Amino acid sequence: MGDNRQGPVYRSSTTAPVNIAVIKYWGKRDATLNLPTNSSLSVTLSQASLRTHTTASCSAHYAAHEGDSLLLNGSAEPIQHSPRTQACLGQLRSLRSSLEASDPSLPKLSGLPLHIVSTNNFPTAAGLASSAAGFAALVRSIADLYALPQSATELSRIARQGSGSACRSLMGGYVAWRAGSAADGSDSLADEVAPPAHWPQMRALVLVVSAAKKHLPSTAGMQVTVKTSSLFPTRADVVVPRRMQNMEQAIRARDFDAFARLTMQDSNGFHAVCLDSWPPIAYLNDVSRAAVRVVEAINQQSTDAGAGLLAAYTFDAGPNAVVYYLERDTERVAGVFRALLGNERVEGWEGSYGQDIKPAEMEELATLDEKAVETLRAGVSRVICTGVGGGPEKVDSHLVDERGEPVWE
Amino acid sequence: MGDNRQGPVYRSSTTAPVNIAVIKYWGKRDATLNLPTNSSLSVTLSQASLRTHTTASCSAHYAAHEGDSLLLNGSAEPIQHSPRTQACLGQLRSLRSSLEASDPSLPKLSGLPLHIVSTNNFPTAAGLASSAAGFAALVRSIADLYALPQSATELSRIARQGSGSACRSLMGGYVAWRAGSAADGSDSLADEVAPPAHWPQMRALVLVVSAAKKHLPSTAGMQVTVKTSSLFPTRADVVVPRRMQNMEQAIRARDFDAFARLTMQDSNGFHAVCLDSWPPIAYLNDVSRAAVRVVEAINQQSTDAGAGLLAAYTFDAGPNAVVYYLERDTERVAGVFRALLGNERVEGWEGSYGQDIKPAEMEELATLDEKAVETLRAGVSRVICTGVGGGPEKVDSHLVDERGEPVWE
């Protein structure tokens, strides 16, 4: 922390990961508190590939009348008008305030304006849900700045109110968000089902689709589904609770065949209730379906040979495909996509995960549907090669300098 | 009937219509008896556009050792190996046999071989469910040949065992197939919700999609769904019963807005449970979705102006779109498709329904998605212009001559 005339600048920085659900969050039972209609489960992705880097700072030197501020990827965000951000900041301040009350020697940070600076190492245009990593980094960095003693699970209650899926980005590995039943959301919390080291071989290939049009944002889409889909209550009340149990068991047993089947079934079931909504919601496009066909062909080769599933597709509220597979099957899964999409066609094959992906031999490709291959080549703009990773990490690299000014990376 | 050395040739001919469901039949609770998991409701389409013409004949002159025969569109069908056809023939013979037992003056037709000749006035390749019209014509023509006193509803029990949806083609207008609950299927019957004259303005435009690949046949597909879709029981047990009531009410009230919404919702819900099946079943393709987008644009213009829905899409187990609309909206619905698809691009705009469809003005087309228009133009191979029509009709035109020989039309 630095000194100047009006006092020191307190800083704390963190990086936080993206997560991609294998049991989807779709539907709120309380839109203000972001309480979900069903539990969900995700894989935290490595921060080597995708991460948000956030510095939280506070200082008496900051102009009190300007209040809190957030600079996101170089642009000032209007957080005064964001009830979600305000909820997070208010609850974190309140926890700090309690600390300060119990220990008068602590500096009175809760009363100081917060300046937060945040950057993503991936383009927002990639269509990846950056809000999960963003709110996880925001909550984690402020909790560190305030030296809060709360656990990641306790902080997940706060991050959830910023963005539902953010609560799952506070932990690494395989993370469950328990829907809970309390009206105040006190039991709607994330917990780590298994750390990354339990099943470190999990890999993910993200196929970023050059989307022609904007999709219905997920917050709006899920409320349409809750209100209008006649199949939705069965998904939320019956199907997902059973699938959560089976998925946790598959993860505990490192059973990729079961993990893959449940992942694909849940993605299909989620998009089924979207189609069943009124008006119907369609997030998948032709490129998404081409990715499904390639995954089905890869799995067919394996199951024809008496082995289990090798790959699992999953789709969030957009056309991007995420394909999970195990490291040992890198060439048979990611290698097929690399052979199809090549270095010249799309970028993203570099990095610690991508560089190991060797293009599959032509015989692996012989069974692929020609039309699907053509559609995929025309529609995938880049790939992201990654794998299961850890939770937020405290870092020394600050995006706010000692005088309280943003550092332009 | 004609005479020859071994006896007269008895003949009876009928035409029977195609029907397109607005509440879909998907799922059997008994695969042998063709008992459905839920009730369904369809519109019978005019035989001016689509019909099966069938002559049933029997004669002592026919070689007994060759048994019954069916000539369908000029090809001999192996009906000896079709349990479904055998079930229909057996039950019709049994009814005739009872008649003969009660009135000894009747000729003993039940003991004679049946020669049946049938033709469709539409190509099988059009992907229209010809089995419904086919089994309805088969049952109706034999019932007439045998002078059976049973009502169309009573005969629907027999036709259902040939092909589920055939039971709905025994009547005209708006027809419900009640699922029933008896294990022997005795209460799984069709009835006429309203005759064509109740709401004669109903029109249907069929967009025949040049399908690149074979689809999973509906009999196989529906069993995959019943066995694997976790959302399916809700559809069958909860959603469809409610929707049937609402649809019957919409038809009684001639409420097109409600009819259209329910039709589209049920088609979407049916394809949602297909997507939720394992492996997932996809009947809709890009051309189908382009048709959905055009219907949505047509409806948007209307609802933006404070009016109701003008058009309703529905899809069976394949990519063909059927678009329902009312006669008064011909130009605003069918006219849009005619303007897009033109005479040069696709055939089928002739005939009593098609000739009245004037291409819509360009301003109607301005809001259409360019990509959808392009996909539709590339993928629709022909259209069929039709409307609600009557049930099977007894006709004097026979496909078997007086000597028992097939007549080649």
Side-chain angles (χ1 to χ4, degrees):
Chain A
M1 63 194 77
D3 279 327
N4 65 10
R5 282 165 301 172
Q6 292 109 319
V9 171
Y10 299 89
R11 300 178 295 179
S12 188
S13 296
T14 194
T15 62
V18 164
N19 71 77
I20 298 287
V22 291
I23 304 290
K24 302 295 188 192
Y25 159 45
W26 195 252
K28 299 179 201 282
R29 65 174 206 271
D30 182 315
T32 306
L33 292 171
N34 265 350
L35 299 179
T37 50
N38 56 260
S39 298
S40 55
L41 197 150
S42 58
V43 179
T44 296
L45 299 183
S46 167
Q47 296 178 58
S49 309
L50 300 165
R51 57 132 189 82
T52 294
H53 179 191
T54 297
T55 298
S57 71
C58 61
S59 175
H61 153 72
Y62 295 163
H65 69 276
E66 286 173 8
D68 304 326
S69 70
L70 170 61
L71 199 66
L72 176 60
N73 294 323
S75 300
E77 290 286 304
I79 57 168
Q80 314 304 339
H81 307 291
S82 163
R84 303 203 165 282
T85 308
Q86 292 303 322
C88 293
L89 300 185
Q91 287 167 51
L92 290 162
R93 271 205 171 91
S94 161
L95 292 173
R96 171 68 188 184
S97 189
S98 303
L99 270 191
E100 291 165 1
S102 65
D103 181 354
S105 74
L106 291 174
K108 301 290 182 291
L109 303 188
S110 62
L112 303 179
L114 285 159
H115 284 195
I116 305 155
V117 179
S118 186
T119 63
N120 297 325
N121 70 341
F122 53 95
T124 306
L128 291 156
S130 55
S131 63
F135 273 104
L138 177 116
V139 168
R140 185 72 262 176
S141 62
I142 297 173
D144 290 347
L145 177 72
Y146 288 169
L148 300 181
Q150 277 74 18
S151 69
T153 287
E154 289 169 308
L155 292 176
S156 76
R157 185 188 293 119
I158 299 176
R160 185 201 77 222
Q161 295 170 61
S163 168
S165 56
C167 71
R168 296 187 312 240
S169 273
L170 283 171
M171 286 150 241
Y174 304 83
V175 183
W177 172 13
R178 313 291 174 184
S181 57
D184 67 355
S186 54
D187 58 351
S188 188
L189 302 169
D191 64 66
E192 199 181 78
V193 171
H198 168 74
W199 203 7
Q201 297 85 3
M202 187 65 71
R203 295 291 175 272
L205 175 68
V206 184
L207 305 174
V208 179
V209 173
S210 29
K213 62 168 188 174
K214 264 302 228 191
H215 324 294
L216 185 64
S218 61
T219 296
M222 63 176 77
Q223 291 318 87
V224 171
T225 299
V226 170
K227 279 190 197 137
T228 67
S229 166
S230 48
L231 300 175
F232 177 73
T234 302
R235 168 176 169 78
D237 301 341
V238 180
V239 179
V240 171
R242 196 170 53 210
R243 213 173 257 156
M244 278 292 290
Q245 288 196 334
N246 293 337
M247 181 61 91
E248 289 186 62
Q249 199 178 318
I251 290 168
R252 278 196 299 271
R254 300 185 194 87
D255 177 351
F256 188 82
D257 184 71
F259 172 90
R261 199 182 63 252
L262 292 164
T263 295
M264 294 187 276
Q265 286 176 336
D266 196 69
S267 179
N268 292 333
F270 151 48
H271 291 283
V273 297
C274 288
L275 175 57
D276 187 57
S277 303
W278 186 256
I281 303 169
Y283 287 120
L284 307 183
N285 69 13
D286 306 347
V287 186
S288 319
R289 280 178 287 268
V292 168
R293 286 198 285 275
V294 172
V295 167
E296 287 181 335
I298 290 168
N299 284 332
Q300 191 70 56
Q301 285 198 338
S302 168
T303 54
D304 283 352
L309 300 169
L310 298 185
Y313 54 77
T314 187
F315 299 87
D316 282 347
N320 289 350
V322 177
V323 180
Y324 283 112
Y325 60 96
L326 291 180
E327 185 183 21
R328 63 168 191 226
D329 300 316
T330 296
E331 188 173 340
R332 294 170 72 188
V333 181
V336 168
F337 286 97
R338 181 154 198 172
L340 295 181
L341 297 172
N343 282 344
E344 306 78 38
R345 291 176 189 276
V346 303
E347 52 179 348
W349 295 109
E350 68 285 344
S352 54
Y353 292 97
Q355 67 197 12
D356 293 337
I357 301 172
K358 285 189 292 188
E361 299 296 328
M362 285 312 292
E363 62 185 302
E364 300 276 344
L365 310 177
T367 60
L368 296 180
D369 179 68
E370 231 172 88
K371 180 100 187 295
V373 169
E374 190 186 305
T375 305
L376 211 58
R377 283 179 173 161
V380 172
S381 57
R382 62 167 294 151
V383 297
I384 296 163
C385 305
T386 185
V388 63
E393 288 173 27
K394 191 167 183 174
V395 293
D396 292 332
S397 162
H398 297 303
L399 300 174
V400 172
D401 69 17
E402 296 185 350
R403 292 165 304 144
E405 297 297 319
V407 173
W408 302 95
E409 276 191 317
Chain B
M1 67 192 75
D3 279 326
N4 65 11
R5 282 165 300 172
Q6 292 110 320
V9 172
Y10 298 89
R11 300 178 296 178
S12 188
S13 296
T14 195
T15 61
V18 164
N19 70 76
I20 299 286
V22 291
I23 304 291
K24 302 295 187 191
Y25 159 45
W26 195 252
K28 299 180 200 280
R29 65 174 206 271
D30 182 315
T32 306
L33 293 171
N34 265 350
L35 300 179
T37 50
N38 56 261
S39 298
S40 55
L41 197 150
S42 57
V43 179
T44 296
L45 299 182
S46 167
Q47 296 178 57
S49 308
L50 300 166
R51 57 133 191 80
T52 293
H53 179 190
T54 297
T55 297
S57 72
C58 60
S59 175
H61 153 73
Y62 295 162
H65 69 276
E66 286 172 10
D68 303 326
S69 70
L70 169 61
L71 198 65
L72 176 59
N73 294 322
S75 300
E77 289 286 304
I79 56 169
Q80 314 303 339
H81 307 292
S82 162
R84 303 203 164 283
T85 308
Q86 292 304 322
C88 293
L89 301 185
Q91 287 167 51
L92 290 160
R93 271 207 170 89
S94 160
L95 292 173
R96 171 69 189 184
S97 189
S98 303
L99 270 191
E100 291 165 0
S102 65
D103 180 355
S105 75
L106 291 174
K108 302 288 183 291
L109 303 188
S110 62
L112 303 179
L114 284 160
H115 284 196
I116 305 155
V117 179
S118 186
T119 63
N120 297 325
N121 71 340
F122 52 95
T124 306
L128 290 157
S130 55
S131 63
F135 273 104
L138 178 113
V139 169
R140 184 74 262 175
S141 63
I142 297 173
D144 290 346
L145 177 73
Y146 287 170
L148 300 181
Q150 276 74 17
S151 69
T153 287
E154 289 169 308
L155 292 175
S156 76
R157 185 187 295 118
I158 299 175
R160 185 201 75 222
Q161 295 170 60
S163 168
S165 56
C167 70
R168 297 188 312 240
S169 272
L170 284 170
M171 285 150 241
Y174 303 84
V175 183
W177 172 14
R178 314 292 175 184
S181 57
D184 67 356
S186 53
D187 58 352
S188 188
L189 302 169
D191 64 66
E192 199 181 78
V193 171
H198 167 74
W199 203 6
Q201 297 85 2
M202 187 66 71
R203 295 290 174 272
L205 175 68
V206 184
L207 305 175
V208 179
V209 173
S210 30
K213 63 167 189 174
K214 263 304 226 193
H215 323 295
L216 185 64
S218 61
T219 296
M222 61 176 79
Q223 291 318 85
V224 171
T225 300
V226 170
K227 280 190 198 138
T228 67
S229 166
S230 49
L231 300 175
F232 178 73
T234 302
R235 168 176 168 78
D237 301 341
V238 180
V239 180
V240 170
R242 196 171 53 210
R243 213 173 256 155
M244 277 292 290
Q245 287 196 334
N246 294 337
M247 181 61 92
E248 289 186 62
Q249 198 178 319
I251 289 168
R252 279 195 299 270
R254 300 184 194 88
D255 177 351
F256 187 82
D257 184 70
F259 172 89
R261 198 181 65 253
L262 291 164
T263 295
M264 293 187 276
Q265 286 176 335
D266 196 68
S267 178
N268 292 334
F270 151 47
H271 291 283
V273 297
C274 287
L275 175 58
D276 187 57
S277 303
W278 187 255
I281 304 169
Y283 287 121
L284 307 183
N285 68 13
D286 306 347
V287 187
S288 318
R289 280 178 287 268
V292 167
R293 286 198 286 276
V294 172
V295 167
E296 287 182 334
I298 290 168
N299 284 332
Q300 192 69 54
Q301 285 198 337
S302 169
T303 53
D304 282 352
L309 299 169
L310 299 186
Y313 54 76
T314 187
F315 299 87
D316 282 347
N320 289 349
V322 176
V323 180
Y324 284 111
Y325 61 95
L326 292 180
E327 184 183 23
R328 63 168 190 226
D329 300 317
T330 295
E331 188 172 339
R332 294 170 72 189
V333 181
V336 169
F337 285 98
R338 182 154 198 174
L340 294 181
L341 298 172
N343 283 343
E344 305 78 38
R345 290 177 189 275
V346 304
E347 54 180 347
W349 296 108
E350 69 285 344
S352 53
Y353 292 96
Q355 67 198 12
D356 292 337
I357 301 173
K358 284 189 294 187
E361 300 295 327
M362 284 312 290
E363 61 185 304
E364 301 275 345
L365 310 177
T367 59
L368 297 179
D369 179 68
E370 233 172 87
K371 180 99 188 295
V373 169
E374 191 187 304
T375 305
L376 212 58
R377 282 179 172 158
V380 172
S381 57
R382 63 167 294 153
V383 297
I384 296 162
C385 305
T386 185
V388 63
E393 288 172 27
K394 191 167 183 175
V395 293
D396 291 332
S397 161
H398 298 304
L399 299 174
V400 172
D401 69 17
E402 297 185 349
R403 292 165 304 146
E405 296 298 319
V407 174
W408 302 94
E409 277 191 318

